Amino acid sequence: MQKIYFQCDYAEGAHPKILARLAATNLEQTPGYGEDIYCAQAAEKIRKACKDESLAVHFLVGGTQTNLTVIDAALRAHQGVICAMTGHINVHETGAVESCGHKVLALPCGEDGKITAGQVRKVCEEHNALGRDHMVQPGMVYLSNPTELGTIYSAAELKEMYAVCGEFGLYLFLDGARLGYGLAASDNDLTLPLLAEYTDVFYIGGTKVGALFGEALVIGNDTLKKDFRYIMKQKGGLLAKGRLLGIQFDTLFTDGLYFEIAAQANVYAEKIRGAMEKKGYTLPAPNHTNQIFAEMPDKDLESLGERFVYSYDRRVDDTHSCVRFCTSWATKEENVDALVQAIEAL
Amino acid sequence: MQKIYFQCDYAEGAHPKILARLAATNLEQTPGYGEDIYCAQAAEKIRKACKDESLAVHFLVGGTQTNLTVIDAALRAHQGVICAMTGHINVHETGAVESCGHKVLALPCGEDGKITAGQVRKVCEEHNALGRDHMVQPGMVYLSNPTELGTIYSAAELKEMYAVCGEFGLYLFLDGARLGYGLAASDNDLTLPLLAEYTDVFYIGGTKVGALFGEALVIGNDTLKKDFRYIMKQKGGLLAKGRLLGIQFDTLFTDGLYFEIAAQANVYAEKIRGAMEKKGYTLPAPNHTNQIFAEMPDKDLESLGERFVYSYDRRVDDTHSCVRFCTSWATKEENVDALVQAIEAL
Amino acid sequence: MQKIYFQCDYAEGAHPKILARLAATNLEQTPGYGEDIYCAQAAEKIRKACKDESLAVHFLVGGTQTNLTVIDAALRAHQGVICAMTGHINVHETGAVESCGHKVLALPCGEDGKITAGQVRKVCEEHNALGRDHMVQPGMVYLSNPTELGTIYSAAELKEMYAVCGEFGLYLFLDGARLGYGLAASDNDLTLPLLAEYTDVFYIGGTKVGALFGEALVIGNDTLKKDFRYIMKQKGGLLAKGRLLGIQFDTLFTDGLYFEIAAQANVYAEKIRGAMEKKGYTLPAPNHTNQIFAEMPDKDLESLGERFVYSYDRRVDDTHSCVRFCTSWATKEENVDALVQAIEAL
Amino acid sequence: MQKIYFQCDYAEGAHPKILARLAATNLEQTPGYGEDIYCAQAAEKIRKACKDESLAVHFLVGGTQTNLTVIDAALRAHQGVICAMTGHINVHETGAVESCGHKVLALPCGEDGKITAGQVRKVCEEHNALGRDHMVQPGMVYLSNPTELGTIYSAAELKEMYAVCGEFGLYLFLDGARLGYGLAASDNDLTLPLLAEYTDVFYIGGTKVGALFGEALVIGNDTLKKDFRYIMKQKGGLLAKGRLLGIQFDTLFTDGLYFEIAAQANVYAEKIRGAMEKKGYTLPAPNHTNQIFAEMPDKDLESLGERFVYSYDRRVDDTHSCVRFCTSWATKEENVDALVQAIEAL
């Protein structure tokens, strides 16, 4: 019997509407490298959704590529990027940022995987007081929203972070690989216009939210807009048939599809979360997005593992492990029900 | 009226069989990052086609990404890569190789866009005699086949180049962005098994030969195989839904589709070439692949430009320019006929 | 009145014997870039002192330069270097290692500023178990001896570290910017032959131990020896008048001068340490080398600061700070006595 | 018998006045890293000599280090530096510039080793017309004065180059490793104030003009001044005992020593040049600085080689080679006379 995957949010292909659009446009001839009509249309829809016509929008294939391209475009040689110790760029990108010459300045974060404006202020003040030219100069703050643990930043937290960044001359970059799930969370108060206003650059993740692949990068800061396509090309991030990205984001931003599918995934996650809480499992980093972290007895995990695939996070104690279950735009209700029943039956 | 594109070989989407496979497998759940069954199948087919079970096969999204990943994986910090002055890595990748820290050692090439084993020998001998540790050490030779000008290397030329590389301790890397068109050319005597035997690493281009995107990298050299996926990830080249690449190459290497569509594109190119020769245009860098370079009177170009899109190469003299027409796997016979008639009518 | 510096160990020029040698040889004509007779002689003396004729010895101008050159020469693109959170390369070199493309994998260290073989084993095991190609691969361990806090590694600790490095395929690199003071410490059991045997590469610091400038790099690992001068040149580390380095190390390694002057500095440090202990100050990271860290009342520091220059380390609590006093080869007995009396008088 | 070196201009130590100053100040205690009084004094003298109090002056140890630091500080990731095919950064620095991520855009140069404003304009216009984001963007022009062939730029040429740079948004950087010999040449019309006015950054070479080592970097462009010391530190170019550089340049810029010793070297070079011309040798790249390139019969070279050391440049034909003789601040009149007589006796 085929196991059911709750391991990640990129186990399937794309939303059927996207496949249909790709098929419908397949033999049209367009210019390459994102200079086609579909990229223009998608960018325009994103600008509208962000309520800011001055934004530059670029489409890239994947998250690591987007992160390294933005960071290398933004920083001078002696500057580094501040992020949470658990940040994707610090842990899971095989040193992509360092490969471009920049240090990741990792800050300890709490159980919620977030860093605070106060922490950033402290790092900058210490740098100015002590280190100066013998230490890497902070040049950017990198946030993920949702974070690696599924938690989200509030509008107030973002505004405070942006203010501190402005004060110390840092760019604020928000990695939105799972942005849809964050914006659709029941306790969220962020919006695309707020993101456009209170970051210098952020991206709207497609790979994990309905697309075959693709991330829509939104640049608000004028300095960062300059020559950005050069850096994309240099890093191997300028897709020859760029329209594939345009078509996908055009579809996702038509009739609110992006938000609709993300909201549904969150609903499914909430059902699973409910079953786990009822069972008494500890759920660290509580959140209302599509990732469920749970500390579970090893024997329960073994039992569940016979039918379901989850991802391993870390050892908790001699008899418990922390694991992650993910829902996504592609999760089927019947599979959620099967999982919930299995949990209840443990 | 919509113009007809002969500007490049990436103006359309993918071969319909590929789209059909993507749709058929869309909601299957697979592991990410190329560790799925489709990538395994495609790799196995490529190994079989190369008649070498020891080859490592990886799938990447695009050409620049593939080039920079291979070159950075292969070279130590003080080493550079030899290529033709007109080489893609030297001219059209925004310094991607240098961005990874390596100098491109560009050699003058003739009208055919090729470099010779003799040139490589001379560079290496001079380096050893004169430069030593104050000069960049040659560490790799980069060839494109077909070259930027559509010409191809013979088996004898490749063998001779590989022998010189062996003698001086250089890797031989062949960029096959348009490999299908080269292998299907009427005057070609190279084969996949010969490429596997007489290079250290090469790639089979998909983006320009039927795929939505994707390049299949084939590594024969054991040293280069080691830890290659780390470098792919670091450079942003490990696609989350890696199976998209596996499915495409599996399709292209089923029932010889890859070679069949390339051969057809060459036939169309030959028809266009014939019309141009009959018209008396100079065709520099004669070849039998899918790119036609022609030196044409500006007035003829202006006239053709009303219905057809070509790409501009360079100014020849006061009244002539060199331009490029490309056919591809997606070229329609009716469009070829229209172009031929238009040329005849000039 | 001129203040007395105990701020660092590079406040003066060079040992008078070195200046005399430079003057005596000044108008001799020699080949450049370290290919002169003095570099050859100095290298030979160092090989003899290490009891290993197979060692490669290179001379570089400074510590940051040496560190970045060694690390970039040793690591492949996807590899990082493990070091203590307080390590010089992690904190005080403005991201020189990252600038060469490599992540510094910083480990928490105790109050003694040291990392253990057990910690390295754990990092490597976790990497192999979990991270694999999405995480930076450990490729080297970097130790400083003495550490940034003046503490030293024992022979047993070094051997254990080297064994773990061997087990996991890591290079072991020891930064000896203050090596003389370490080897001359009263509780030291390391020797140059042990360093040559139980590291892959290490350096003997000159800048802080009697030279105008200069570090003698000693490479035992054959793989690392290959083409090392190319990397030195590329990083700007091949001094044109290389003999200046040869002459200095030849002098330092004649009649044990290097060890003699280091031992004297340690004796002076011990006197200062004694005065502080008598005064009841907390001395974190106890050691017997030339650096004295002390947690002192702010009012005492203010008072001392009128005549003496020390360096500020960190705030301890509302009324105490941790500061550093350094002795060196150039420290004058009268100045030590003055400092001791001033402490006693507080 | 000891041979006489005319091979290069860094075969000896330093001008005796410099050694004397180093000895006189040896045991003074100063802050490190160029924040001492001697660096301040030397910088002030250089600013005065340049008649511009707003200049930033930094001292580095060597030329390759200076070049890579300036270029990496100035360029964004996608930008390259234009220079002559024979430029030092293109040929003799083991890819230091590429190691920092930047392409060297090498232009063909005539026999005089110079590039022209017209060439730079053409490259920039072509880039803007054709290449755009798929090609490296020119970001800087690098000149050497004197060039690698000993020739010099006129004030008119420099002004024209600076104007073109301004027009296309390029920095102009002048490598003055041998600047003294250039400014002291009989046909020179450049001055330090002109260099300060018509470049963005240049350096005054010490290593080849009287110092033990050291280059004084002069930055006029305000954007480039920002955070420059961070980049110096990161690249390993911030000398711990920075005063060694300050003392040397302070001495060289006292009572015109720098220019006096350079002028004398040029006088000696002129004598040798005269003897060669009388003998009928071809002197390519005619100049009046301290480098003499001559195409000589191999048998004459063999004969001279018994007593004199010169450097080999290239093969001219079956019986002739081009070689280089250098004078320097340290050249002795008796050695010049010996060489002249030996040439006359051939």
Side-chain angles (χ1 to χ4, degrees):
Chain A
M1 194 182 70
Q2 185 76 22
K3 289 191 187 181
I4 301 169
Y5 274 67
F6 286 97
Q7 184 186 24
C8 66
D9 30 23
Y10 42 87
E12 293 91 355
H15 193 279
K17 285 190 185 171
I18 281 177
L19 278 194
R21 280 293 292 287
L22 289 176
T25 57
N26 189 45
L27 291 181
E28 292 181 15
Q29 294 188 313
T30 62
Y33 300 111
E35 296 185 318
D36 61 276
I37 184 69
Y38 297 106
C39 285
Q41 268 176 220
E44 187 52 29
K45 286 185 182 171
I46 287 171
R47 276 190 289 263
K48 277 206 163 30
C50 294
K51 299 198 172 138
D52 184 345
E53 285 299 312
S54 74
L55 298 169
V57 179
H58 299 280
F59 301 102
L60 292 105
V61 167
T64 297
Q65 186 182 84
T66 305
N67 289 336
L68 74 88
T69 303
V70 168
I71 292 169
D72 201 37
L75 299 184
R76 285 186 69 200
H78 62 296
Q79 297 181 319
V81 52
I82 293 173
C83 81
M85 198 71 87
T86 51
H88 206 259
I89 57 169
N90 191 43
V91 183
H92 284 115
E93 302 189 354
T94 320
V97 171
E98 291 86 357
S99 177
C100 295
H102 304 290
K103 192 176 188 75
V104 176
L105 301 161
L107 300 185
C109 51
E111 279 234 329
D112 64 0
K114 289 157 66 174
I115 55 173
T116 67
Q119 284 180 289
V120 170
R121 170 183 299 284
K122 188 153 167 276
V123 166
C124 292
E125 285 175 349
E126 283 175 2
H127 176 83
N128 291 341
L130 279 182
R132 301 186 337 271
D133 42 41
H134 287 239
M135 295 178 75
V136 170
Q137 185 183 69
M140 177 182 262
V141 169
Y142 164 97
L143 303 179
S144 297
N145 190 59
T147 68
E148 294 301 306
L149 303 183
T151 53
I152 57 174
Y153 286 89
S154 69
E157 287 169 332
L158 186 72
K159 287 176 185 179
E160 202 188 348
M161 188 65 86
Y162 188 62
V164 168
C165 285
E167 190 179 333
F168 290 98
L170 314 181
Y171 290 107
L172 179 54
F173 170 35
L174 185 140
D175 171 337
R178 294 187 172 96
L179 188 60
Y181 304 119
L183 296 184
S186 57
D187 57 344
N188 169 65
D189 65 354
L190 277 176
T191 61
L192 287 179
L194 282 172
L195 285 168
E197 190 173 350
Y198 294 104
T199 71
D200 293 289
V201 51
F202 72 100
Y203 77 84
I204 303 169
T207 299
K208 293 171 178 167
V209 195
L212 282 175
F213 57 87
E215 322 296 325
L217 186 72
V218 181
I219 310 180
N221 184 299
D222 285 338
T223 304
L224 255 180
K225 289 175 191 169
K226 190 161 185 318
D227 292 343
F228 194 80
R229 280 173 55 90
Y230 283 89
I231 317 265
M232 286 174 64
K233 176 61 187 169
Q234 181 182 72
K235 306 305 179 190
L238 203 56
L239 189 65
K241 300 179 185 173
R243 76 188 200 192
L244 301 175
L245 293 160
I247 289 165
Q248 294 185 83
F249 275 95
D250 187 54
T251 307
L252 289 170
F253 276 79
T254 297
D255 301 332
L257 179 63
Y258 185 74
F259 300 99
E260 176 192 318
I261 60 181
Q264 184 58 59
N266 285 353
V267 169
Y268 289 150
E270 213 71 355
K271 284 180 79 168
I272 300 169
R273 210 174 271 120
M276 286 175 164
E277 282 172 337
K278 227 160 70 184
K279 206 73 191 175
Y281 299 149
T282 299
L283 303 190
N287 71 71
H288 301 284
T289 66
N290 73 318
Q291 297 183 79
I292 308 126
F293 286 86
E295 296 176 6
M296 296 172 60
D298 294 330
K299 64 171 176 41
D300 288 3
L301 284 171
E302 197 178 337
S303 166
L304 279 185
E306 285 165 27
R307 267 192 74 197
F308 301 95
V309 185
Y310 48 81
S311 71
Y312 179 83
D313 184 45
R314 64 190 155 78
R315 200 94 199 108
V316 173
D317 61 31
D318 280 359
T319 56
H320 293 74
S321 298
C322 184
V323 299
R324 187 187 70 169
F325 288 79
C326 275
T327 61
S328 81
W329 59 275
T331 302
K332 293 178 188 161
E333 185 160 24
E334 68 207 58
N335 288 343
V336 173
D337 291 343
L339 176 58
V340 165
Q341 286 160 24
I343 292 169
E344 287 169 348
L346 285 170
Chain B
M1 194 181 69
Q2 184 77 22
K3 288 192 188 182
I4 302 169
Y5 274 66
F6 286 98
Q7 184 186 25
C8 67
D9 31 22
Y10 43 87
E12 292 91 355
H15 193 278
K17 286 190 184 170
I18 281 178
L19 278 194
R21 281 290 293 287
L22 290 176
T25 57
N26 188 46
L27 291 182
E28 292 181 15
Q29 293 188 313
T30 62
Y33 300 110
E35 295 184 320
D36 62 276
I37 184 69
Y38 296 106
C39 284
Q41 268 176 220
E44 187 52 29
K45 286 185 181 169
I46 287 171
R47 276 190 288 265
K48 277 207 162 33
C50 294
K51 300 199 169 137
D52 184 346
E53 284 300 311
S54 74
L55 298 169
V57 179
H58 299 282
F59 301 102
L60 293 105
V61 167
T64 297
Q65 187 182 83
T66 306
N67 288 336
L68 74 87
T69 304
V70 168
I71 293 169
D72 201 37
L75 299 184
R76 286 187 68 201
H78 62 297
Q79 296 180 319
V81 50
I82 293 172
C83 81
M85 196 71 86
T86 51
H88 206 260
I89 57 169
N90 191 44
V91 182
H92 285 114
E93 302 189 353
T94 320
V97 172
E98 290 86 356
S99 177
C100 295
H102 303 290
K103 191 177 190 74
V104 176
L105 301 161
L107 299 185
C109 52
E111 280 234 329
D112 64 0
K114 291 158 66 174
I115 54 173
T116 67
Q119 284 181 290
V120 171
R121 169 184 299 284
K122 189 154 166 276
V123 166
C124 292
E125 285 175 349
E126 282 174 3
H127 177 83
N128 291 342
L130 279 183
R132 303 183 338 269
D133 42 42
H134 286 239
M135 296 178 75
V136 169
Q137 186 182 67
M140 176 181 264
V141 169
Y142 164 96
L143 303 179
S144 298
N145 190 59
T147 67
E148 294 301 307
L149 303 183
T151 53
I152 57 174
Y153 286 89
S154 69
E157 287 170 332
L158 186 72
K159 289 177 184 179
E160 201 188 348
M161 187 65 86
Y162 188 61
V164 168
C165 285
E167 190 179 334
F168 290 97
L170 315 181
Y171 289 107
L172 180 54
F173 170 34
L174 186 141
D175 171 338
R178 296 187 171 96
L179 188 61
Y181 304 118
L183 296 183
S186 56
D187 57 342
N188 169 64
D189 66 353
L190 278 175
T191 61
L192 286 178
L194 282 172
L195 285 168
E197 190 172 351
Y198 293 104
T199 70
D200 293 288
V201 51
F202 72 99
Y203 77 84
I204 303 170
T207 300
K208 293 171 178 167
V209 196
L212 281 176
F213 57 86
E215 324 295 325
L217 186 71
V218 182
I219 310 180
N221 184 300
D222 285 339
T223 304
L224 256 181
K225 289 175 190 168
K226 189 161 185 319
D227 292 343
F228 194 80
R229 279 172 56 91
Y230 283 88
I231 317 263
M232 285 174 65
K233 177 62 187 169
Q234 181 182 72
K235 306 303 178 191
L238 203 56
L239 189 66
K241 301 180 185 174
R243 75 188 198 191
L244 301 175
L245 293 160
I247 290 166
Q248 293 186 83
F249 275 95
D250 188 53
T251 308
L252 289 170
F253 276 79
T254 298
D255 301 333
L257 180 62
Y258 186 74
F259 300 98
E260 176 192 319
I261 60 181
Q264 184 59 59
N266 286 353
V267 167
Y268 289 150
E270 212 72 356
K271 283 180 79 167
I272 299 168
R273 210 174 271 120
M276 287 175 164
E277 282 172 336
K278 227 162 70 184
K279 207 71 189 178
Y281 299 148
T282 300
L283 303 190
N287 71 71
H288 301 284
T289 66
N290 73 318
Q291 296 183 80
I292 307 126
F293 286 85
E295 297 176 5
M296 294 172 60
D298 294 330
K299 66 174 175 40
D300 288 4
L301 285 171
E302 197 178 335
S303 166
L304 278 184
E306 284 164 27
R307 269 192 74 197
F308 302 95
V309 184
Y310 49 80
S311 72
Y312 179 83
D313 184 44
R314 62 188 155 80
R315 199 94 198 108
V316 173
D317 60 32
D318 280 358
T319 55
H320 292 73
S321 298
C322 184
V323 299
R324 186 187 72 169
F325 289 79
C326 275
T327 61
S328 83
W329 60 274
T331 302
K332 293 178 189 162
E333 185 160 25
E334 67 208 59
N335 287 343
V336 174
D337 291 342
L339 176 59
V340 165
Q341 285 160 25
I343 293 169
E344 288 169 348
L346 285 170
Chain C
M1 193 182 70
Q2 184 76 23
K3 287 192 187 180
I4 301 170
Y5 273 67
F6 286 97
Q7 184 185 26
C8 67
D9 31 22
Y10 43 88
E12 292 91 356
H15 193 278
K17 284 190 185 171
I18 282 178
L19 279 194
R21 280 293 292 286
L22 290 175
T25 58
N26 189 46
L27 291 182
E28 291 181 14
Q29 293 189 314
T30 62
Y33 300 110
E35 296 185 320
D36 61 276
I37 184 69
Y38 296 105
C39 285
Q41 268 176 221
E44 187 51 30
K45 286 186 182 170
I46 288 172
R47 276 189 288 264
K48 278 207 162 31
C50 293
K51 298 196 172 141
D52 185 345
E53 284 299 312
S54 75
L55 298 169
V57 179
H58 298 281
F59 300 102
L60 292 105
V61 167
T64 297
Q65 185 183 83
T66 305
N67 288 336
L68 73 88
T69 303
V70 167
I71 293 170
D72 201 38
L75 299 184
R76 284 186 70 199
H78 61 296
Q79 296 180 319
V81 52
I82 293 173
C83 81
M85 198 70 87
T86 51
H88 206 260
I89 57 169
N90 191 44
V91 182
H92 284 115
E93 302 189 353
T94 321
V97 171
E98 292 85 357
S99 176
C100 295
H102 303 290
K103 192 176 188 73
V104 175
L105 302 161
L107 300 185
C109 52
E111 280 233 330
D112 63 1
K114 290 158 66 174
I115 55 173
T116 67
Q119 284 180 289
V120 171
R121 168 184 300 284
K122 188 155 167 275
V123 166
C124 292
E125 284 174 350
E126 282 175 4
H127 177 84
N128 290 342
L130 279 182
R132 301 186 338 272
D133 41 43
H134 286 239
M135 295 178 74
V136 170
Q137 186 183 67
M140 177 182 263
V141 169
Y142 163 97
L143 304 179
S144 298
N145 190 59
T147 67
E148 294 300 307
L149 303 183
T151 54
I152 57 173
Y153 286 89
S154 69
E157 287 169 333
L158 185 72
K159 288 177 184 178
E160 202 189 347
M161 187 65 85
Y162 188 63
V164 170
C165 286
E167 191 179 333
F168 290 97
L170 315 181
Y171 289 107
L172 180 53
F173 169 34
L174 186 140
D175 171 337
R178 295 188 172 95
L179 187 60
Y181 304 118
L183 296 184
S186 56
D187 57 342
N188 170 65
D189 66 353
L190 278 175
T191 61
L192 286 178
L194 282 171
L195 284 168
E197 189 172 351
Y198 293 104
T199 71
D200 294 289
V201 51
F202 71 100
Y203 76 85
I204 303 170
T207 299
K208 293 170 178 167
V209 195
L212 282 176
F213 57 86
E215 323 295 325
L217 186 73
V218 181
I219 310 179
N221 184 300
D222 285 339
T223 304
L224 255 181
K225 289 175 191 169
K226 191 163 183 317
D227 293 342
F228 194 79
R229 280 173 55 91
Y230 282 88
I231 318 263
M232 285 174 65
K233 176 62 188 168
Q234 182 181 74
K235 305 305 179 191
L238 204 54
L239 188 65
K241 300 179 185 174
R243 76 186 197 192
L244 301 175
L245 293 160
I247 289 166
Q248 294 186 84
F249 276 94
D250 187 53
T251 307
L252 289 170
F253 276 78
T254 298
D255 300 333
L257 179 63
Y258 186 73
F259 300 98
E260 176 192 319
I261 61 181
Q264 184 59 59
N266 286 353
V267 169
Y268 290 150
E270 214 71 356
K271 284 179 78 168
I272 299 168
R273 210 174 271 121
M276 287 175 163
E277 281 172 337
K278 227 161 71 185
K279 206 75 190 175
Y281 299 148
T282 300
L283 303 189
N287 71 72
H288 301 284
T289 66
N290 73 318
Q291 296 182 80
I292 307 127
F293 286 85
E295 297 176 5
M296 296 171 59
D298 295 330
K299 65 172 175 42
D300 287 3
L301 285 171
E302 197 178 336
S303 166
L304 277 185
E306 284 164 28
R307 267 192 75 197
F308 302 95
V309 184
Y310 49 81
S311 71
Y312 178 83
D313 184 44
R314 64 190 154 78
R315 198 95 200 110
V316 173
D317 61 30
D318 280 358
T319 54
H320 292 73
S321 298
C322 185
V323 298
R324 187 187 69 169
F325 288 79
C326 275
T327 60
S328 81
W329 60 275
T331 302
K332 294 179 189 161
E333 185 160 25
E334 69 208 59
N335 287 342
V336 173
D337 291 343
L339 176 58
V340 165
Q341 286 160 26
I343 292 169
E344 287 168 349
L346 285 170
Chain D
M1 195 182 67
Q2 183 77 22
K3 286 192 188 182
I4 301 169
Y5 274 66
F6 286 97
Q7 185 186 24
C8 67
D9 30 23
Y10 42 87
E12 292 90 355
H15 192 279
K17 286 190 185 172
I18 283 178
L19 278 195
R21 281 291 292 286
L22 290 175
T25 58
N26 189 46
L27 291 182
E28 292 180 15
Q29 293 188 314
T30 62
Y33 301 111
E35 297 185 318
D36 60 276
I37 184 68
Y38 296 107
C39 285
Q41 268 176 221
E44 187 51 31
K45 286 185 182 171
I46 288 171
R47 275 190 288 265
K48 276 206 165 31
C50 294
K51 300 196 170 140
D52 184 345
E53 283 300 310
S54 74
L55 298 169
V57 179
H58 299 282
F59 301 103
L60 293 106
V61 167
T64 297
Q65 187 183 82
T66 306
N67 288 336
L68 73 87
T69 305
V70 168
I71 293 169
D72 202 37
L75 299 184
R76 286 187 67 200
H78 62 296
Q79 297 180 317
V81 52
I82 293 173
C83 81
M85 197 71 87
T86 50
H88 206 259
I89 58 170
N90 191 44
V91 183
H92 284 113
E93 302 189 354
T94 321
V97 172
E98 291 85 357
S99 177
C100 295
H102 304 290
K103 192 177 187 75
V104 176
L105 301 162
L107 299 184
C109 52
E111 280 233 329
D112 64 1
K114 291 157 66 175
I115 55 173
T116 67
Q119 284 181 290
V120 171
R121 169 184 299 284
K122 188 154 167 276
V123 166
C124 292
E125 284 176 350
E126 282 174 5
H127 177 83
N128 290 342
L130 279 183
R132 301 183 341 266
D133 42 42
H134 287 239
M135 296 177 74
V136 170
Q137 186 183 68
M140 177 182 263
V141 169
Y142 163 96
L143 303 179
S144 298
N145 190 59
T147 67
E148 294 301 306
L149 302 183
T151 53
I152 57 174
Y153 285 89
S154 68
E157 287 169 334
L158 186 72
K159 288 177 185 178
E160 201 188 349
M161 187 66 86
Y162 188 62
V164 169
C165 286
E167 191 179 334
F168 290 98
L170 314 182
Y171 289 108
L172 179 54
F173 170 34
L174 186 141
D175 171 337
R178 295 188 172 96
L179 188 60
Y181 303 119
L183 296 184
S186 56
D187 56 342
N188 170 65
D189 66 353
L190 279 175
T191 61
L192 287 178
L194 283 171
L195 285 167
E197 188 172 350
Y198 293 104
T199 71
D200 293 289
V201 51
F202 72 99
Y203 76 86
I204 303 170
T207 300
K208 293 172 177 165
V209 195
L212 281 175
F213 56 87
E215 324 295 325
L217 186 71
V218 181
I219 311 181
N221 184 300
D222 286 339
T223 305
L224 256 180
K225 289 175 192 169
K226 191 162 183 319
D227 292 343
F228 193 81
R229 280 172 56 91
Y230 282 89
I231 317 264
M232 285 175 64
K233 177 61 187 168
Q234 181 181 73
K235 307 303 178 191
L238 204 54
L239 188 65
K241 301 180 186 174
R243 76 188 199 192
L244 301 175
L245 294 159
I247 290 166
Q248 294 186 83
F249 276 94
D250 187 53
T251 308
L252 289 170
F253 276 79
T254 298
D255 300 334
L257 180 63
Y258 186 73
F259 299 99
E260 176 193 319
I261 60 182
Q264 183 60 58
N266 286 353
V267 168
Y268 289 151
E270 213 72 356
K271 284 179 78 168
I272 298 169
R273 210 173 271 121
M276 286 175 164
E277 282 173 337
K278 227 160 74 184
K279 206 72 190 177
Y281 299 149
T282 300
L283 304 191
N287 72 70
H288 301 285
T289 65
N290 73 318
Q291 296 183 79
I292 307 130
F293 286 86
E295 296 176 6
M296 294 171 61
D298 294 330
K299 67 173 175 37
D300 287 3
L301 285 170
E302 196 178 337
S303 166
L304 279 185
E306 285 165 29
R307 270 193 73 196
F308 302 95
V309 185
Y310 48 81
S311 71
Y312 179 84
D313 183 45
R314 63 190 154 79
R315 198 94 199 109
V316 173
D317 61 31
D318 281 359
T319 54
H320 292 74
S321 298
C322 185
V323 298
R324 187 187 71 168
F325 288 80
C326 275
T327 60
S328 82
W329 60 275
T331 301
K332 293 178 188 161
E333 186 159 23
E334 67 207 59
N335 287 344
V336 173
D337 291 343
L339 176 58
V340 166
Q341 286 160 25
I343 293 169
E344 288 170 348
L346 285 170

